[in-house]
């Protein structure tokens, strides 16, 4: 254990040492350091490039082995360079899987500048590896809010470089460009957004007539929603809870707030571990789905005193209020699986009568005057990317969809897309899925000419109409 803590792994934000210790704490802000990579490149700001980049490169190589779709796309399109002269500002989680996407975009001809969309999810060694590769990246684990906007601004605006594409996760890059650099924003050819929060913000801009560029909503593409949102959440909710708290799940009572694709994945996974799972919902269709899947649909106030774990997955704000937390049992674990950090009213916990005790990285005990304690993970931010790793395979699905959406918007002829929000074309969704079938040894059945004519389909697809619900 001593040897591991002194290795490069101990400074990486996704090693177990980092989750259970304080090795990612550094009193010196990266903004105060003068760093350069081995070629003299300095246009980046990461935690520590010299000691971390080789470890981060190994992690990227490991992720590549589980990301067949995005690598197949890279190989097929690298000669054509469909993103030649594209200048992409990116604001996503920065981890090994995202690094594979970033390097694919560069391989396809783009220049990029990248920041993190979450102050706790950056894998420092991976960020260092990207900086060593000469990619302008501004991110480190544990940024302050002021650091976050500084990093994003460094990506959005640089001497002799203006973005013409945005790849966003949460809408922050879009919001910054729209508010602070409106002239540059008018020159954007397209926006690709992958989160429910960011999509909501785009539709708000459309509603008030302020969206002046076309955008593709990747979050609601079939491949993102049905695979990344569901299977990623199903896999990583257990990993994040186990790593951060060492909890045994069997017999625990859990409430999942929200039964969308993320909530469904969490609920199914926790029930499979022997938990008693409750669901809260505002949507009668989702509530009926939960009921018929065997979950009891309740109001939060009915069970808040008895549950051992609370998981939010709604994309809403103040789903868990101070009143709820005042009534939770001692030892209750509270975490968020939605993109935004607004679902749990964390600000209300910063009050004089409550004490905060950091017991592990991203694990805080909030102590009431009577000694009762709740366990808050990642300060209410996305728990699976703050307290654990995520499965590379399903991220490959989303990454391939993002890359195709960027290629589509960048190369679209004038007039194809108006200043509105679009879904990924069905044909592209099917293509993304097909890229991932060979590694699973899956063999598609082909329609005969007679069958295709009977169904009114092209033998090559698309196979479902846009209104089809998978």
């Amino acid at each position: 254990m001593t040897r591991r803590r002194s290795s490069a792994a101990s400074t990486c934000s996704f090693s177990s040492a980092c989750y259970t210790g304080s090795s990612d704490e550094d009193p010196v802000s990266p903004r105060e350091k003068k760093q350069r990579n081995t070629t003299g490149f300095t246009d980046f700001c990461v935690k520590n490039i010299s000691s971390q980049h080789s470890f981060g490169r190994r992690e990227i190589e490991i992720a590549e082995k589980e990301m067949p779709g995005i690598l197949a796309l890279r190989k097929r399109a690298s000669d054509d360079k469909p993103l030649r002269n594209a200048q992409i500002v990116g604001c996503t989680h920065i981890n090994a899987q995202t690094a594979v996407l970033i390097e694919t975009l560069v391989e396809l001809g783009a220049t990029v500048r990248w920041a993190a969309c979450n102050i706790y999810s950056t894998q420092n060694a991976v960020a260092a590896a990207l900086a060593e590769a000469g990619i302008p990246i501004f991110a480190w684990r544990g940024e302050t809010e002021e650091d976050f906007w500084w990093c994003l601004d460094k990506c959005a605006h640089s001497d002799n470089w203006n973005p013409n594409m945005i790849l966003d996760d949460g809408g922050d890059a879009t919001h910054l460009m729209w508010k602070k650099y409106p002239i540059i924003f008018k020159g954007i050819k397209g926006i690709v957004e992958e989160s429910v929060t960011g999509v909501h913000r785009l539709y708000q801009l459309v509603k008030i007539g302020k969206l002046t560029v076309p955008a593709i909503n990747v979050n609601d593409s079939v491949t993102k929603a049905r695979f990344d949102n569901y299977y990623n959440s199903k896999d990583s909710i257990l990993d994040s809870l186990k790593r951060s708290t060492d909890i045994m799940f069997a017999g625990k009572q859990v409430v999942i707030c929200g039964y969308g694709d993320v909530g469904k994945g969490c609920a199914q996974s926790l029930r499979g571990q022997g938990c008693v799972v409750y669901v809260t919902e505002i949507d009668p269709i989702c509530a009926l789905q939960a009921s018929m899947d065997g979950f009891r649909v309740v109001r939060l106030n009915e069970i808040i005193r008895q549950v051992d774990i609370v998981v939010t997955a709604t994309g809403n704000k103040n789903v868990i209020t101070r009143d709820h937390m005042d009534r939770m049992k001692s030892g209750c674990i509270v975490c968020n699986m939605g993109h935004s950090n607004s679902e749990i009213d964390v600000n209300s916990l910063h009050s004089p009568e409550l004490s905060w005790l950091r017991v592990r990285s991203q694990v805080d005990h909030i102590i009431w005057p009577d000694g009762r304690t709740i366990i808050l993970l990642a300060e209410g931010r996305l728990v699976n990317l703050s307290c654990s790793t995520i499965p590379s395979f399903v991220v490959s699905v989303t990454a391939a969809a993002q890359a195709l959406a960027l290629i589509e918007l960048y190369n679209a002829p004038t007039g194809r897309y108006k200043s509105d929000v679009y879904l990924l074309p069905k044909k592209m969704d099917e293509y993304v899925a097909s890229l991932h079938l060979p590694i699973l040894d899956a063999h598609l059945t082909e329609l005969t000419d007679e069958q295709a004519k009977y169904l009114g389909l092209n033998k090559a697809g698309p196979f479902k109409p846009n209104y089809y619900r998978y």
Side-chain angles (χ1 to χ4, degrees):
M1 178 63 72
T2 302
R3 198 162 52 244
R4 177 168 184 171
R5 287 183 181 275
S6 62
S7 69
S10 69
T11 60
C12 171
S13 63
F14 50 88
S15 69
S16 59
C18 282
Y19 284 123
T20 58
S22 58
S23 55
D24 57 343
E25 304 294 337
D26 187 341
V28 180
S29 169
R31 291 169 60 179
E32 299 174 13
K33 300 177 182 178
K34 292 183 178 180
Q35 300 185 69
R36 64 180 64 240
N37 71 6
T38 54
T39 65
F41 178 72
T42 60
D43 190 15
F44 64 88
C45 189
V46 299
K47 180 71 84 174
N48 192 332
I49 187 171
S50 60
S51 65
Q52 296 184 325
H53 71 82
S54 60
F55 182 75
R57 177 52 56 188
R58 292 197 298 272
E59 291 300 318
I60 294 171
E61 291 168 353
I62 291 171
E64 286 179 340
K65 298 182 186 305
E66 269 284 292
M67 299 184 72
I70 190 66
L71 290 184
L73 183 61
R74 181 194 295 185
K75 183 177 180 180
R76 295 181 186 185
S78 59
D79 290 339
D80 295 333
K81 295 288 189 285
L83 291 174
R84 183 181 284 109
N85 299 322
Q87 298 183 164
I88 303 170
V89 58
C91 182
T92 66
H93 300 283
I94 294 177
N95 49 37
Q97 296 80 14
T98 305
V100 177
L101 169 62
I102 294 170
E103 295 188 332
T104 296
L105 299 179
V106 173
E107 181 69 22
L108 300 187
T111 58
V112 304
R113 299 180 70 84
W114 224 268
C117 69
N118 185 304
I119 63 175
Y120 294 129
S121 66
T122 297
Q123 296 176 342
N124 288 328
V126 171
L130 291 172
E132 176 62 22
I135 295 173
I137 185 160
F138 299 83
W140 59 93
R141 183 180 175 86
E143 298 168 8
T144 65
E145 288 289 335
E146 197 271 333
D147 289 335
F148 171 84
W149 291 108
W150 178 86
C151 289
L152 189 51
D153 192 77
K154 292 286 285 185
C155 291
H157 183 68
S158 178
D159 293 339
N160 303 316
W161 191 93
N162 287 327
N164 53 24
M165 299 291 293
I166 297 174
L167 178 55
D168 218 350
D169 186 346
D172 290 320
T174 301
H175 179 76
L176 178 71
M177 294 293 299
W178 177 64
K179 293 286 287 185
K180 191 171 183 179
Y181 302 109
I183 296 176
I184 299 176
F185 186 74
K186 289 180 180 178
I188 297 293
K189 296 191 69 173
I191 300 167
V192 174
E193 172 59 57
E194 74 152 314
S195 77
V196 64
T197 302
V199 168
H200 177 67
R201 295 170 81 173
L202 285 174
Y203 281 119
Q204 285 180 322
L205 288 178
V206 172
K207 187 176 181 179
I208 62 176
K210 297 295 185 180
L211 186 65
T212 57
V213 299
I216 288 184
N217 165 12
V218 170
N219 181 71
D220 292 311
S221 65
V222 176
T223 44
K224 171 67 163 64
R226 295 295 178 268
F227 295 93
D228 191 348
N229 291 5
Y230 177 76
Y231 290 105
N232 191 342
S233 302
K234 186 176 182 180
D235 195 90
S236 60
I237 183 62
L238 300 180
D239 191 20
S240 53
L241 286 169
K242 181 67 75 175
R243 286 198 198 205
S244 55
T245 67
D246 300 318
I247 188 173
M248 182 174 181
F249 296 108
K252 297 297 191 298
Q253 297 191 58
V254 183
V255 59
I256 309 294
C257 301
Y259 201 67
D261 292 307
V262 172
K264 287 180 175 70
C266 294
Q268 297 286 354
S269 187
L270 288 163
R271 178 168 66 180
Q273 293 295 310
C275 293
V276 177
V277 180
Y278 303 97
V279 169
T280 70
E281 252 301 339
I282 63 168
D283 186 327
I285 295 175
C286 293
L288 182 59
Q289 285 180 315
S291 295
M292 296 185 71
D293 284 342
F295 299 106
R296 184 182 167 199
V297 179
V298 298
R299 292 190 176 98
L300 196 55
N301 287 332
E302 297 172 17
I303 45 82
I304 195 63
R305 294 183 184 276
Q306 68 196 57
V307 293
D308 303 288
I309 304 172
V310 178
V311 182
T312 57
T314 69
N316 205 343
K317 66 177 293 186
N318 294 339
V319 177
I320 304 299
T321 65
R322 173 63 187 270
D323 178 63
H324 291 132
M325 291 182 279
D326 282 339
R327 290 183 287 150
M328 290 177 182
K329 68 195 298 187
S330 188
C332 182
I333 299 168
V334 183
C335 65
N336 171 46
M337 280 289 287
H339 173 84
S340 178
N341 63 334
S342 62
E343 300 204 29
I344 301 167
D345 186 10
V346 176
N347 287 335
S348 69
L349 298 176
H350 292 286
S351 56
E353 73 277 9
L354 301 183
S355 301
W356 285 62
L357 177 64
R358 174 60 59 93
V359 295
R360 286 179 173 176
S361 180
Q362 309 307 321
V363 182
D364 291 294
H365 285 186
I366 316 300
I367 306 169
W368 267 251
D370 62 359
R372 186 175 55 85
T373 300
I374 68 168
I375 302 169
L376 179 65
L377 304 185
E379 296 184 26
R381 295 180 183 270
L382 192 55
V383 69
N384 62 342
L385 280 156
S386 299
C387 296
S388 71
T389 57
I390 54 177
S392 297
F393 186 84
V394 291
V395 181
S396 175
V397 176
T398 298
Q402 289 171 309
L404 284 173
L406 287 168
I407 292 170
E408 171 66 14
L409 287 176
Y410 184 67
N411 293 284
T414 303
R416 175 180 291 179
Y417 294 104
K418 297 180 174 60
S419 299
D420 204 346
V421 182
Y422 296 85
L423 289 174
L424 195 69
K426 180 74 67 175
K427 185 68 176 174
M428 290 188 186
D429 251 334
E430 292 179 353
Y431 179 63
V432 168
S434 71
L435 291 174
H436 294 82
L437 294 178
I439 198 172
L440 300 176
D441 196 26
H443 306 274
L444 285 173
T445 300
E446 294 184 8
L447 291 172
T448 64
D449 292 338
E450 182 182 9
Q451 289 172 327
K453 183 178 179 180
Y454 178 77
L455 293 174
L457 297 175
N458 186 311
K459 290 177 67 175
F463 297 99
K464 299 290 190 297
N466 287 331
Y467 56 79
Y468 183 82
R469 305 297 184 193
Y470 288 81

